[in-house]
C-alpha cells in the first residue's frame, strides 16, 4: 500500500471534533481498516470527486469519513 498523506484545516478539525466527537487524527485511522468500504459520492462531487469511507477506527468506532484525493 502506498503511504497515505493527510491534510486538513485545524479549525475545521476542532469544529468536527466538537460536533461529532471524532478528531481527524482518529478518522484517518479508518483508512487502514482492511475491511473498509469506499463509495463514490456523486451528490457532493460538483467541484471535485468526493468519497465516503465506511471503516473502523483504531478506537474501534465505526466511522463514515467524507474525503477527496
Amino acid at each position: 500500500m502506498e503511504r497515505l498523506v493527510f491534510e486538513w484545516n485545524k479549525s475545521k478539525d476542532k469544529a468536527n471534533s466538537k460536533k461529532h466527537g471524532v478528531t481527524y487524527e482518529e478518522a484517518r485511522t479508518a483508512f487502514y481498516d482492511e475491511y473498509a468500504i469506499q463509495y463514490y459520492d456523486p451528490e457532493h462531487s460538483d467541484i471535485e470527486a468526493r468519497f465516503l469511507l465506511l471503516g473502523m477506527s483504531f478506537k474501534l468506532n465505526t466511522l463514515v469519513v467524507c474525503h477527496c484525493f
Side-chain angles (χ1 to χ4, degrees), residues 4-61:
L4 298 175
V5 177
F6 297 88
E7 294 180 18
W8 58 77
N9 180 298
K10 290 182 182 184
S11 61
K12 180 91 169 155
D13 181 24
K14 283 185 177 183
N16 279 341
S17 179
K18 185 175 181 180
K19 182 177 181 181
H20 302 293
V22 178
T23 64
Y24 282 176
E25 199 64 37
E26 179 184 357
R28 76 183 193 124
T29 67
F31 286 87
Y32 297 100
D33 176 1
E34 62 186 79
Y35 299 107
I37 301 170
Q38 182 171 269
Y39 300 93
Y40 177 65
D41 183 8
E43 190 173 322
H44 298 99
S45 294
D46 295 336
I47 298 171
E48 59 192 351
R50 292 188 173 252
F51 300 87
L52 301 172
L53 179 93
L54 176 63
M56 185 80 66
S57 77
F58 284 180
K59 291 185 176 182
L60 302 180
N61 290 314

